[in-house]
Amino acid sequence: MELSLADVMPSVAAGFGLDGPNPFAVRSGRDVVVLLIDGLGSELLARSADDAPTLAAHVSTTLRAGFPATTATSLTSLAVGAPCAVHGVIGYSFAVPAGADEDLRTLNALRWTFDSAAGPDARADAEPESVQPMASGLERLATHDVDIHYVVPGYQAASGLTRAAFRATGTVHPAATLDEVRDGILDVARMPGRGRRFTYAYYPGLDMAGHLHGPGSTPWREQLRAVDATVAELFDDLPSTCTLLVTGDHGMISAGTLIDLDAAPELQYGVRLIAGEARVRHVYLESAAARDDVVGAWTSTLGEHARVVTREQAFDERWFGAATPGPAIAARIGDVVAVAEGDAVLVRPEAEPLESTMIGHHGAWTADEQLVPLVVNP
C-alpha cells in the first residue's frame, strides 16, 4: 500500500494510544515531534546523500505528498490526515466565492491573501476555519490530553494557513533559524513531568534556496547540510522518551521550458480566472459552454509541455484523492486543469512577477516533486 503525508498524523495518534492505524509503527512515548523541512524531496535527498548522511541513513520509508505537491495542500493533508479532496485546500491558489455578491476571487492559500501573494488579507472574508472545516489530527490529540506545541516562524502562529490546517491551540515557540528550531524542540522534550506532548516544527530555508537558486545548487546544498547537521544533533540530544519524525511537503524541479501564459491571447478566450502555480494551473471559465474550446486551445498551445484535462476527468482519475470532492470543494478546482510535464513551467509574469522569476518549482506529478522521505530517529 502506498502511503502519503496524510498517513502521518493517524500513525502519531496511534502511537499515543488512540484508535486507528499505525502504518509507521510510531512508538508510544511521552513526546512525539514531527519536523517538516519544506522542500525536502526523496529523490533530491538520494542524489545528495553525501551532503546529508544522517537523513539519508535514517529514511524509514518514502511517502507521496499528494496532488498538487505544494506547501499549502501538503501541510493541510498532513495535519488533517486526509487528501485535498476532503479538506479543500486544493493548491497554492484557487478560486473561492467572496464578497456580498459571492463573486469568484483567487485565494492564495499559502499567504491567505486575495488576488495574489501580495494581495489584501483574506482572513476576514475567507475565514480559514470555514474554508477548511475538517478537524485536524492535532485537535484530536488535544482532546485526549496531549499537550500541543508549535516550533515555527513567529509569523505563522496566527496565519490563515495555520488556522485552516492545524486548528489546535498550543504553545508557540518562535523559531526562524535552524538553531531556534533545534532549541525549541529540545526545550519541549526536556520539560519535566509525565504529561504527553506533541510538537509540530517547521523550517522553510531549504525550500527558499531551491526556489531562488534551484534544487542541487550550491546554496541549496548548503541548506541541506545545515538541516542534516541539525537533525544529527537532535538524534544525539533528544531524550529516549521522544520520537522524532522528519519529512517534507514536496520535492522540486528546476525550470527548463518557460511558457508565458499572459503572452498567449488564445489562452485567455473564455477564461475568467487562472489560479494555481507554475506547475499546476486551475482555469476557471466564463461559461460551461466554453469548456471544449478552452481545452482545445490550451492543449494545442501547450502541446507536450502540459497535460490538459477537464475537472470531471481529474475527478475520474482521482487526482485529488480517492474520494470525490463535495460540491463546495469541487467548485474550487478549475473547470480545466493544466499540469506541466517534463521541466516546463507555466508562468504568468504580469500576474505573478515574483513567482515567475523562480528557478525551482513543484506541484506536478514527477517523482522529484511528489516523493518525500520519512526519517525516524534511531
Side-chain angles (χ1 to χ4, degrees):
M1 180 180 68
E2 190 173 56
L3 297 170
S4 75
L5 283 174
D7 294 302
V8 172
M9 284 306 300
S11 197
V12 168
F16 278 118
L18 281 64
D19 291 338
N22 192 356
F24 307 122
V26 175
R27 300 192 303 270
S28 178
R30 189 184 64 184
D31 290 270
V32 176
V33 178
V34 171
L35 170 57
L36 193 291
I37 304 297
D38 200 324
L40 182 64
S42 284
E43 299 295 291
L44 295 171
L45 177 59
R47 292 197 293 268
S48 307
D50 289 345
D51 292 309
T54 299
L55 289 167
H58 293 91
V59 174
S60 173
T61 190
T62 298
L63 311 178
R64 277 202 167 269
F67 181 82
T70 197
T71 299
T73 301
S74 291
L75 295 193
T76 311
S77 297
L78 170 75
V80 173
C84 66
V86 174
H87 63 65
V89 180
I90 57 92
Y92 172 72
S93 69
F94 49 89
V96 295
D101 57 2
E102 292 289 281
D103 192 23
L104 285 186
R105 199 168 181 184
T106 301
L107 174 68
N108 183 298
L110 188 63
R111 306 296 180 191
W112 219 266
T113 54
F114 281 130
D115 306 328
S116 71
D121 192 321
R123 285 176 292 182
D125 292 324
E127 183 187 37
E129 295 84 358
S130 298
V131 173
Q132 198 299 100
M134 302 295 295
S136 76
L138 286 77
E139 287 180 300
R140 184 179 179 220
L141 293 179
T143 62
H144 287 79
D145 299 320
V146 177
D147 199 18
I148 305 299
H149 294 260
Y150 297 94
V151 180
V152 298
Y155 72 87
Q156 289 188 356
S159 74
L161 181 58
T162 297
R163 286 173 51 186
F166 295 96
R167 303 177 66 95
T169 300
T171 303
V172 177
H173 308 260
T177 68
L178 279 169
D179 286 348
E180 290 170 344
V181 169
R182 177 201 60 215
D183 292 347
I185 291 172
L186 290 174
D187 285 347
V188 177
R190 290 169 174 169
M191 286 180 175
R194 302 178 65 181
R196 301 179 300 172
R197 294 181 290 262
F198 172 77
T199 300
Y200 168 75
Y202 171 86
Y203 179 68
L206 185 69
D207 178 71
M208 185 61 67
H211 279 305
L212 296 179
H213 304 285
S217 65
T218 296
W220 184 89
R221 292 177 61 192
E222 290 172 350
Q223 278 289 319
L224 182 63
R225 287 195 291 268
V227 168
D228 192 73
T230 298
V231 171
E233 290 175 354
L234 288 170
F235 282 1
D236 288 340
D237 295 340
L238 281 170
S240 60
T241 52
C242 181
T243 297
L244 173 65
L245 309 175
V246 184
T247 190
D249 52 346
H250 55 73
M252 192 174 287
I253 61 103
S254 290
T257 302
L258 272 67
I259 300 173
D260 185 347
L261 303 182
D262 293 336
E266 67 274 17
L267 299 182
Q268 315 305 318
Y269 298 139
V271 173
R272 184 178 184 183
L273 288 174
I274 299 174
E277 58 193 299
R279 292 285 288 172
V280 180
R281 289 296 180 183
H282 293 277
V283 185
Y284 304 89
L285 306 182
E286 294 283 2
S287 71
R291 187 181 70 170
D292 290 346
D293 289 341
V294 170
V295 169
W298 280 64
T299 299
S300 175
T301 299
L302 301 182
E304 66 181 1
H305 299 302
R307 185 175 181 213
V308 181
V309 303
T310 64
R311 175 193 291 160
E312 291 74 20
Q313 184 175 348
F315 290 169
D316 288 344
E317 296 179 10
R318 307 301 186 196
W319 282 17
F320 300 95
T324 299
I329 294 174
R332 298 175 189 174
I333 296 167
D335 299 285
V336 176
V337 184
V339 182
E341 299 198 326
D343 62 5
V345 287
L346 313 178
V347 297
R348 303 189 66 204
E350 294 179 19
E352 300 168 353
L354 176 60
E355 295 94 323
S356 297
T357 63
M358 291 178 175
I359 296 173
H361 293 272
H362 51 80
W365 287 112
T366 68
D368 275 11
E369 296 160 276
Q370 278 286 326
L371 301 183
V372 297
L374 184 70
V375 174
V376 182
N377 59 329

